[in-house]
Amino acid sequence: MLLYIVLRTIASKKFTWRSDFANTAIAACSEPVNGYRCQKRIPLTVELKVKMFLRRFFLISTLVFFANPVTAALPVAVDGTPLPSLAPVLKEVTPSVVNVYTQTRVRVRSPLLEDPFFRRFFNVPDVPRERVSQSLGSGVIVDAENGYVLTNYHVIGRADEIAVGLKDGRSLEAKLIGSDPDTDLAVIQIPAEDLIALPLADTDELQVGDFVVAVGNPFGLGQTVTSGIVSALGRTGLRGLEYQNFIQTDASINPGNSGGALINLRGELVGINSAIFTPSGGNVGIGFAIPASMARYVMDQLIQFGEVRRGTIGVFVQDMTAALAGAFDVDAGQGVLVAEIAAGSAAEEAGLQPGDVILRMDGRKINSTQDFHNAEGGLALGESLEVEYLRDGKTRKTPVVIQSIPMLNGADIDRRLEGARFTELTARHKQQNISGVLLDELAPRSRLAREGLAEGDIIVGVNRQRVRSLLDFSRALESTRGSILLQISRSGRTYVARID
């Protein structure tokens, strides 16, 4: 626009001079000039045409100038300093993220093929039919010297074969070290040859808005990198998991990314990508990762014991609702209310009572039952923690030692229950107003397994007697003569199994 104004002004001055010159020349044509007489007048029409042409030229030039703006482009450097790029970080990180492939053999059951008469009549060979189920996911090398790879439990599940693909093209067989369904984590091991491990970050320092990068194997396409930010922290509410403290991110996570790495801009592992929220099956910008701090504790337990040995302080708590908060003179959502204390538990020995409001555990705020379970489940057996609680309007503190969760081996009570292990119900069951004992472990070929029982079943009754604890369960079985009738709760439905 400035260029147009300048040119327009010059043109206007030129046109004025040309017009004045023309008028002077016309007037002088009637008189001789220096002895010469004017032979031809300068026509005004020519001057006007030139003027109109120049005006149109400047107008068209202006339109062309503004109709073709210069496209803005990101410079490669500012003041000689190259712009930031993720490439250097990813070059160091991506060799540590692997592809995980599994195969699971599933026995195919058919009522006709299992019928002896049918098999004999049609000469069907007595060979169990199987189908092979395949799945894929991702994993992260966390220990290069020992070849340990961290991934999701739901990636390897009950897999019969596990293979790991490295970025350099190698494909290695892996063996399962241990898994933890309650946190959806597992550790597998591959030959420790020319591996690069990813360091774990301190996720306590992670903040909403921090930039993160997700690396994994979505849809089996191969290693893929996406970026985003930390959208939220401390997310809970996903089904099927006992311990939850997820990092939410908008970095694109899709099927196949499970078990992959969520890293910060320093190339440190901040989380294990685990789940997405989606109404359609695809990514909508809401993904969840297990924090590295939780993954570190679970990994150490799995490597040391092959399982996570959790304990309890023997307290059952409930969330502090607005109604309860008014009664206990605390803010809604602040602390958890002690609803019940197990007899002989560490909490009872420490002096905790029903009605106490637990505010902090080891210095961390407890604002929900999930916070309480995460704090309790993140400590090893025999470890002590400081519990800060409110009673009668006064804040108190007391040390409490984590004790093992009571359990009972079936063979110790009745030989027909051999291969089964029973425990007390978890707090999650208590919140659903479920009582009984939990079938925690079950051998595949045990008598209970043949009768249709499965791990996770809840025994709510024995021989028509209500069971609310391991003590009730043990007493009911000791007084049994003859067959055992077990009343079982599974997925909200009740069944009865007879054990002879």
Side-chain angles (χ1 to χ4, degrees):
M1 181 62 71
L2 181 61
L3 177 63
Y4 172 76
I5 294 173
V6 173
L7 293 176
R8 180 71 178 83
T9 303
I10 295 173
S12 298
K13 292 181 177 298
K14 182 177 181 181
F15 295 149
T16 303
W17 177 82
R18 291 286 291 170
S19 298
D20 293 343
F21 173 78
N23 293 334
T24 303
I26 293 171
C29 280
S30 58
E31 300 290 338
V33 178
N34 296 329
Y36 296 93
R37 191 170 181 83
C38 179
Q39 301 294 326
K40 186 176 180 181
R41 297 179 60 194
I42 301 176
L44 290 175
T45 55
V46 175
E47 295 295 330
L48 292 175
K49 288 181 180 180
V50 173
K51 186 175 184 180
M52 292 300 297
F53 170 77
L54 292 175
R55 285 181 175 177
R56 290 175 183 173
F57 173 76
F58 290 126
L59 178 60
I60 294 173
S61 299
T62 304
L63 291 176
V64 170
F65 176 79
F66 286 103
N68 295 276
V70 178
T71 303
L74 189 66
V76 296
V78 175
D79 295 332
T81 303
L83 291 181
S85 172
L86 294 175
V89 175
L90 295 175
K91 186 177 180 180
E92 301 294 329
V93 167
T94 51
S96 302
V97 183
V98 302
N99 302 333
V100 179
Y101 305 93
T102 66
Q103 286 190 350
T104 305
R105 294 181 179 86
V106 182
R107 183 174 180 179
V108 179
R109 304 186 62 180
S110 171
L112 287 177
L113 293 179
E114 292 182 356
D115 184 84
F117 176 78
F118 182 89
R119 299 173 68 89
R120 181 180 302 174
F121 185 83
F122 289 99
N123 195 27
V124 177
D126 190 16
V127 178
R129 300 181 62 193
E130 294 181 339
R131 64 179 177 86
V132 177
S133 175
Q134 298 180 340
S135 66
L136 57 87
S138 305
V140 183
I141 300 173
V142 291
D143 187 337
E145 294 183 0
N146 297 294
Y148 292 133
V149 177
L150 193 60
T151 185
N152 282 139
Y153 168 77
H154 75 260
V155 170
I156 53 96
R158 299 181 181 273
D160 296 304
E161 298 179 10
I162 306 174
V164 170
L166 303 183
K167 187 181 180 183
D168 60 13
R170 286 181 291 168
S171 182
L172 307 172
E173 291 186 6
K175 69 175 182 179
L176 178 64
I177 299 300
S179 61
D180 182 39
D182 287 336
T183 56
D184 193 27
L185 288 169
V187 175
I188 58 179
Q189 187 177 30
I190 58 177
E193 298 177 1
D194 299 326
L195 302 179
I196 300 176
L198 201 59
L200 275 65
D202 181 7
T203 50
D204 291 339
E205 303 297 327
L206 198 63
Q207 298 182 19
V208 174
D210 286 349
F211 286 101
V212 288
V213 178
V215 187
N217 179 28
F219 301 108
L221 296 173
Q223 194 173 86
T224 302
V225 177
T226 57
S227 64
I229 64 169
V230 174
S231 304
L233 296 170
R235 288 298 196 207
T236 61
L238 275 69
R239 295 181 180 179
L241 298 179
E242 186 72 22
Y243 304 97
Q244 304 182 29
N245 184 28
F246 288 102
I247 301 168
Q248 180 182 326
T249 178
D250 65 347
S252 182
I253 297 175
N254 289 289
N257 273 108
S258 294
L262 188 71
I263 65 169
N264 57 23
L265 298 186
R266 291 187 295 271
E268 300 170 329
L269 182 69
V270 298
I272 298 294
N273 300 323
S274 181
I276 60 173
F277 174 82
T278 171
S280 60
N283 173 65
V284 293
I286 304 178
F288 301 97
I290 302 169
S293 56
M294 179 182 290
R296 187 195 306 271
Y297 169 75
V298 173
M299 177 184 67
D300 291 342
Q301 290 272 307
L302 293 177
I303 292 174
Q304 184 176 0
F305 305 112
E307 63 180 357
V308 179
R309 297 182 177 179
R310 293 189 175 91
T312 180
I313 63 174
V315 171
F316 299 101
V317 298
Q318 65 184 80
D319 288 323
M320 186 64 68
T321 63
L324 291 174
F328 288 90
D329 195 25
V330 296
D331 296 331
Q334 179 184 4
V336 291
L337 178 64
V338 176
E340 181 183 349
I341 294 181
S345 65
E348 185 180 57
E349 294 178 2
L352 292 175
Q353 300 176 6
D356 290 343
V357 179
I358 297 178
L359 303 176
R360 293 176 180 269
M361 296 177 68
D362 263 357
R364 294 188 178 185
K365 290 184 179 180
I366 305 298
N367 294 327
S368 67
T369 55
Q370 188 65 64
D371 291 343
F372 175 84
H373 298 319
N374 290 341
E376 185 182 50
L379 296 174
L381 295 176
E383 194 169 349
S384 178
L385 73 157
E386 185 181 68
V387 176
E388 180 180 331
Y389 62 98
L390 183 68
R391 180 188 297 172
D392 299 329
K394 297 181 180 179
T395 301
R396 307 183 184 188
K397 297 180 181 180
T398 183
V400 183
V401 178
I402 298 292
Q403 296 179 340
S404 60
I405 298 175
M407 62 181 62
L408 185 64
N409 290 320
D412 295 338
I413 306 174
D414 193 296
R415 60 180 178 81
R416 290 169 290 183
L417 304 183
E418 186 176 359
R421 187 177 75 177
F422 304 91
T423 67
E424 297 283 6
L425 294 182
T426 65
R428 177 164 52 89
H429 294 113
K430 295 281 187 179
Q431 291 171 1
Q432 299 171 359
N433 295 321
I434 300 175
S435 59
V437 295
L438 178 66
L439 180 54
D440 184 54
E441 286 187 5
L442 184 63
R445 296 185 179 181
S446 63
R447 184 173 298 188
L448 292 185
R450 293 197 301 269
E451 295 298 333
L453 276 74
E455 293 181 359
D457 286 346
I458 300 173
I459 311 300
V460 297
V462 176
N463 294 334
R464 301 182 180 88
Q465 298 181 36
R466 189 69 177 173
V467 170
R468 300 182 182 277
S469 65
L470 284 178
L471 182 60
D472 293 345
F473 181 65
S474 178
R475 287 175 176 174
L477 288 172
E478 289 174 353
S479 61
T480 297
R481 297 294 181 268
S483 299
I484 302 175
L485 293 179
L486 297 179
Q487 188 176 359
I488 305 157
S489 176
R490 180 190 298 170
S491 302
R493 302 183 64 179
T494 303
Y495 307 86
V496 175
R498 175 176 172 174
I499 313 298
D500 294 320

